[in-house]
Amino acid sequence: MHQVMSKAGASASKTLIEVDLSESPYKNEMIHNRWHPDVPIVAWVKPGDDFVIQTYDWTGGFIKNNDSADDVRDIDLTIVHFLSGPIGVEGAEPGDLLVVDLLDVGALPESLWGFNGFFSKKNGGGFLTDHFPLAQKSIWDISGVYTHSRHVPGVSFAGLIHPGLIGCLPDQKLLDTWNAREAAFIATDPDRVPPLAAPPFAATAHGGSAKGAVKDKIAAEGARTVPPREHGGNCDIKDLSRGSKIYFPVYVKGAGLSMGDLHFSQGDGEITFCGAIEMAGWLHLKVDLIKGGVAKYGIKNPIFKPSPIVPTYNDYLIFEGISVDEQGKQHYLDVHIAYRQACLNAIEYLSKFGYSRAQAYAILGTAPCQGHISGVVDIPNACATLWLPTEIFDFDVMPSAAGPVKHVKPGVDIPMSPDV
Ligand code: ZN
């Protein structure tokens, strides 16, 4: 009962934000789903304080622990992400660095499961949406430090648990910059499916405890939480795990630190987009300040130190990909295309052991796979690699003279929901 012990250990520190998973996050005034300088601070702490924050999963409980992907198909993606905060830090001013120690992160004892899904191409899509255009969902059970799925047999692994999303509030100038550049980008191809970016959307905005005109302003111009930006935000970095130390640029008085989108585990790239192994949970944090640290260290985007506690999967089968697309077309040093080819190569390989292609895709999105940009200078091909840990499988995945044995028997697959 590792998770329960962790929670008990953490609870010696004050819990500043609690979530009730049976209640809509829109009813919780310590939750918000847009970035805006006017989102009211929910609690103040001092430099040196440690405290506990609980979070919803990124969809606020919309995705259920069942065997249907209808919820992944039907979700309104303008509701995400539900973030806990913002936390104010006394003395923090624009230009400071906020130092955040992720002392520990865990699942809530009443919710020891997570989900991984692929969005329909018509509702969000994903990295391989042209190959997996329909909604699918797998459920992953959390058992102490380990996870396994009833929808993906033959594989289990220890979690490298982390918040997908964490950062400080932007000031008005930075917010305006985001909205202007993303609006201009959308205008280059406004009808694209999936869209190029997610613009402000008032109807589903949650401005925390804001009321009246402030609430309306947040709804009208609050930046969506989908992309990572200068402040960090939705970076989805698996190595930003418990034990990490992060240095965030501060833009507003009090910093306004918010977080959510906890992942029990994720492969580099979060290629399945809905998403890693998504879960509700808690974080035990400590904060400090480096006054004037942004200029002192030349910081534009956050920097961080990884965790000293990492699952030890040291043996990998590594798949290469180059910047030649599925149609055989040459692209110039394009790492996005090269990584896609590496992932597709791994999926094709795993399918020889009996996995459906969807199960293989889910493994790459959830297991502690590494993605590397290996070469970006050897014209015309970039080279990217996908590192598949071999020890997560309960059979031998290495090539051999005997050829692949179909260890995974057909019969179990990842639930799919056709578009309606
Ligand atoms: Zn996520």
Side-chain angles (χ1 to χ4, degrees):
M1 298 300 285
H2 170 265
Q3 304 299 332
V4 176
M5 282 170 58
S6 295
K7 185 170 159 62
S11 67
S13 301
K14 196 170 182 211
T15 299
L16 296 183
I17 299 177
E18 291 186 27
V19 297
D20 176 353
L21 300 182
S22 67
E23 183 182 81
S24 165
Y26 283 102
K27 290 189 177 159
N28 189 328
E29 295 196 339
M30 294 187 166
I31 304 293
H32 64 104
N33 68 359
R34 298 290 188 268
W35 290 115
H36 194 287
D38 296 342
V39 178
I41 299 284
V42 303
W44 285 90
V45 298
K46 294 186 176 65
D49 282 355
D50 71 296
F51 51 90
V52 174
I53 305 272
Q54 295 181 355
T55 73
Y56 284 90
D57 82 83
W58 74 300
T59 70
F62 191 85
I63 307 298
K64 306 296 184 197
N65 183 352
N66 59 29
D67 300 317
S68 164
D70 288 359
D71 46 15
V72 170
R73 178 192 62 199
D74 298 337
I75 187 170
D76 173 359
L77 285 174
T78 67
I79 67 172
V80 300
H81 299 67
F82 291 104
L83 306 180
S84 296
I87 301 294
V89 180
E90 289 180 13
E93 294 171 303
D96 294 346
L97 281 179
L98 179 66
V99 186
V100 177
D101 282 293
L102 289 183
L103 298 177
D104 204 356
V105 187
L108 294 170
E110 67 269 31
S111 186
L112 294 177
W113 63 279
F115 62 88
N116 174 266
F118 324 151
F119 289 121
S120 160
K121 187 173 179 179
K122 293 180 181 163
N123 186 31
F127 188 58
L128 302 182
T129 194
D130 290 332
H131 301 268
F132 299 89
L134 299 178
Q136 293 193 254
K137 180 178 84 180
S138 56
I139 298 296
W140 295 77
D141 289 315
I142 296 167
S143 168
V145 301
Y146 296 104
T147 186
H148 65 278
S149 172
R150 61 184 179 266
H151 300 123
V152 188
V155 67
S156 74
F157 42 86
L160 181 55
I161 189 166
H162 59 275
L165 203 164
I166 183 167
C168 295
L169 295 182
D171 59 13
Q172 188 71 44
K173 183 165 170 254
L174 185 58
L175 174 66
D176 293 345
T177 300
W178 294 348
N179 281 337
R181 77 185 179 201
E182 289 174 27
F185 187 49
I186 291 167
T188 63
D189 188 0
D191 300 322
R192 187 177 187 271
V193 179
L196 286 174
F201 186 77
T204 50
H206 183 4
S209 64
K211 305 275 189 296
V214 176
K215 180 180 175 173
D216 293 343
K217 186 171 177 356
I218 293 168
E221 51 183 48
R224 301 280 292 284
T225 56
V226 179
R229 297 188 181 93
E230 288 86 339
H231 68 148
N234 194 25
C235 290
D236 291 315
I237 302 169
K238 74 178 187 342
D239 306 285
L240 205 154
S241 182
R242 60 200 178 114
S244 295
K245 184 189 281 285
I246 321 165
Y247 302 82
F248 289 105
V250 173
Y251 309 97
V252 301
K253 204 166 177 296
L257 178 70
S258 292
M259 69 216 72
D261 187 23
L262 296 193
H263 298 159
F264 188 78
S265 178
Q266 181 207 291
D268 280 341
E270 203 193 23
I271 60 172
T272 41
F273 189 32
C274 175
I277 295 177
E278 304 290 330
M279 65 173 202
W282 56 268
L283 304 99
H284 183 192
L285 308 164
K286 178 168 168 282
V287 292
D288 214 332
L289 290 173
I290 297 177
K291 298 299 291 177
V294 167
K296 278 180 190 164
Y297 290 100
I299 301 297
K300 180 178 167 195
N301 297 69
I303 57 177
F304 74 100
K305 198 162 81 79
S307 172
I309 302 172
V310 177
T312 52
Y313 296 111
N314 294 322
D315 187 58
Y316 293 89
L317 186 57
I318 300 175
F319 295 86
E320 301 180 6
I322 57 171
S323 51
V324 175
D325 69 21
E326 294 91 311
Q327 284 71 46
K329 185 175 176 222
Q330 180 73 58
H331 296 262
Y332 181 72
L333 300 177
D334 187 326
V335 294
H336 185 268
I337 288 170
Y339 193 52
R340 191 167 81 222
Q341 304 316 309
C343 292
L344 289 169
N345 290 343
I347 289 168
E348 181 68 19
Y349 181 90
L350 284 174
S351 71
K352 304 299 184 193
F353 292 83
Y355 283 118
S356 70
R357 294 176 67 80
Q359 287 172 326
Y361 187 25
I363 291 169
L364 302 189
T366 58
C369 298
Q370 296 185 28
H372 291 240
I373 298 170
S374 303
V376 288
V377 293
D378 299 312
I379 56 169
N381 282 332
C383 179
T385 47
L386 184 284
W387 298 40
L388 180 69
T390 58
E391 295 149 304
I392 65 173
F393 298 94
D394 63 14
F395 55 89
D396 184 2
V397 290
M398 294 303 291
S400 70
V405 175
K406 288 206 186 308
H407 289 276
V408 183
K409 303 291 174 235
V412 177
D413 199 358
I414 297 182
M416 175 193 283
S417 291
D419 290 331
V420 287

